[in-house]
Amino acid sequence: MTRVLVVSATALGSLFIAGRAAGSPGDGPTVELLDPGRAPHQKLRLTAKVGQHFQTVMALKMGMRVVVGGQEQPVPPFPTMRFTMDQAVTGVDARGDIQWKFGIIGAEILDDEQDAGSRTAAEKLRPLLKSLEGLTGATVMTDRGEVTSVRLEEPAQASAQLRQLIGQMKASLKQASTVLPEPPVGLGARWAVKARHVAGGVTSDSRTVYLLTALAGGRYQVKTETKITAPAQTIAAGELVSLTGKGEGEMTGDLRCAAAPRGKTSQRVTMRLRATGQEMEMEIRTAVLLGR
């Protein structure tokens, strides 16, 4: 029975991360300005030109810890994955929304895993990653950096594991976006972005506070702190007793270039579940590194 619970927990954790790409209908974020910062103030808006072309490199690391009945359980390791994407601007509408197309031109396991379990997992994952190469997709981003949609095609015979991996990539692209405030701001400005997510059957809320630490010549830098919460609720795996999480990040972008900002984000989420009369705690850790 414990083995079944661990497998269920691992699947739920993967679905929770993957599902945060989609969110729920009408779950667009709300932005609240907390501090306009020091003068001079300016509106932060992204611009782009059709035909602009970039390459983005994204590294994704995920880890999980599961405790059942007070005993920590073995969980299959998750090796670090790196994806290289070719991006091009295909359109800019009258509102300033930017349409991108992208293709995955590289997908690999980073050779930073030392233990035998990680090496075994990496070898099993390599063929799966190779099947991602050549896939194409599209994103839409507002001129304030909100990614409103991410589409990545799935092969006709995609396995459940491949679909989860595609979902994790989509979630990472959204997680790494920088949502800019509506009013003009200056150095030291702070704003909060709230959003609701439905992932793996779990409804959760996030609040990310941005701090503008640099702004010069169209370039900007922000630091972020995120809190994630969810009320007790019934899910497929049983009863979700509680969910809390936090994250942080540091991103650098260019207002004159709407490509994904460079930087890193990380999150740690802890869930407490009750299933088949047993208490279970699960911790999910994710880290995303973006560069060009």
Side-chain angles (χ1 to χ4, degrees), residues 40-234:
H41 295 160
Q42 70 177 81
K43 281 193 172 185
L44 304 183
R45 296 293 185 271
L46 299 170
T47 60
K49 295 180 179 179
V50 174
Q52 281 183 316
H53 180 270
F54 309 94
Q55 280 192 359
T56 297
V57 179
M58 177 178 69
L60 172 63
K61 177 67 175 177
M62 178 178 170
M64 194 178 298
R65 176 175 174 267
V66 177
V67 177
V68 179
Q71 297 295 318
E72 185 164 350
Q73 305 297 317
V75 176
F78 297 85
T80 304
M81 298 172 284
R82 181 168 63 191
F83 307 94
T84 303
M85 291 171 285
D86 197 58
Q87 297 175 277
V89 178
T90 58
V92 181
D93 68 19
R95 297 176 300 179
D97 288 359
I98 303 159
Q99 293 88 45
W100 292 87
K101 68 175 181 181
F102 65 90
I104 301 175
I105 60 176
E108 59 186 331
I109 300 292
L110 295 187
D111 294 325
D112 62 351
E113 316 300 344
Q114 301 300 321
D115 61 278
S118 293
R119 288 196 296 270
T120 300
E123 289 307 314
K124 291 181 178 179
L125 193 55
R126 287 185 203 279
L128 185 66
L129 289 186
K130 282 298 178 184
S131 66
L132 291 175
E133 293 183 355
L135 297 188
T136 59
T139 62
V140 179
M141 174 191 294
T142 70
D143 62 357
R144 289 173 46 224
E146 178 193 345
V147 178
T148 57
S149 73
V150 179
R151 179 182 59 80
L152 182 57
E153 68 175 17
E154 294 183 2
Q157 303 300 322
S159 65
Q161 190 176 12
L162 180 57
R163 289 196 296 270
Q164 284 187 11
L165 183 57
I166 289 173
Q168 289 169 7
M169 287 188 62
K170 292 162 65 178
S172 299
L173 288 170
K174 274 198 167 186
Q175 178 183 330
S177 65
T178 299
V179 181
L180 304 172
E182 173 67 33
V185 295
L187 196 62
R190 294 171 62 248
W191 60 96
V193 178
K194 297 180 181 179
R196 170 154 291 186
H197 314 269
V198 178
V202 177
T203 299
S204 63
D205 296 292
S206 67
R207 183 177 188 267
T208 300
V209 175
Y210 290 79
L211 171 65
L212 184 63
T213 57
L215 180 62
R219 294 184 178 274
Y220 67 90
Q221 186 176 61
V222 294
K223 290 185 177 181
T224 64
E225 291 185 356
T226 299
K227 291 185 177 180
I228 303 169
T229 59
Q233 54 196 277
T234 300

